[in-house]
């Protein structure tokens, strides 16, 4: 997954042509950026060994976490 200013949810990494696996067993991934002063400074990237692992609730929770982390940075 490339750096983006938007959340990225890939339910099947093998279907993503530009996906580069760090671990061969990864099957899905979610990436949520953390913004400080409107700038994307880092991203939380979570991999799963299961297809279709991430729900909209997971994405919303990570957005909440990223907002809290941004306040600390």
């Amino acid at each position: 997954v490339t750096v983006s200013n938007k959340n990225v949810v890939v339910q099947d990494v093998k279907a993503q042509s530009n996906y580069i696996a760090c671990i061969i067993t990864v099957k899905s991934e979610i990436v949520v950026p953390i913004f400080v002063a409107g700038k994307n400074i880092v991203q939380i990237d979570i991999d799963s060994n299961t297809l279709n692992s991430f729900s909209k609730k997971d994405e919303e929770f990570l957005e909440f976490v990223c907002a809290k982390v941004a306040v600390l940075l």
Side-chain angles (χ1 to χ4, degrees):
V1 175
T2 59
V3 173
S4 174
N5 286 331
K6 297 182 180 182
N7 299 348
V8 177
V9 179
V10 180
Q11 298 293 7
D12 181 358
V13 298
K14 289 189 187 235
Q16 185 90 9
S17 63
N18 66 340
Y19 185 79
I20 299 171
C22 294
I23 301 171
I24 198 166
T25 57
V26 171
K27 294 187 177 163
S28 59
E29 175 183 46
I30 187 169
V31 180
V32 178
I34 297 176
F35 295 94
V36 174
K39 184 177 178 185
N40 179 346
I41 63 159
V42 69
Q43 300 176 345
I44 289 180
D45 182 334
I46 300 174
D47 298 334
S48 174
N49 293 344
T50 306
L51 289 171
N52 303 306
S53 289
F54 303 105
S55 68
K56 187 65 178 168
K57 283 189 176 194
D58 295 325
E59 186 176 0
E60 290 169 354
F61 175 72
L62 286 174
E63 288 174 343
F64 171 80
V65 169
C66 287
K68 296 297 182 188
V69 169
V71 171
L72 300 172
L73 298 177

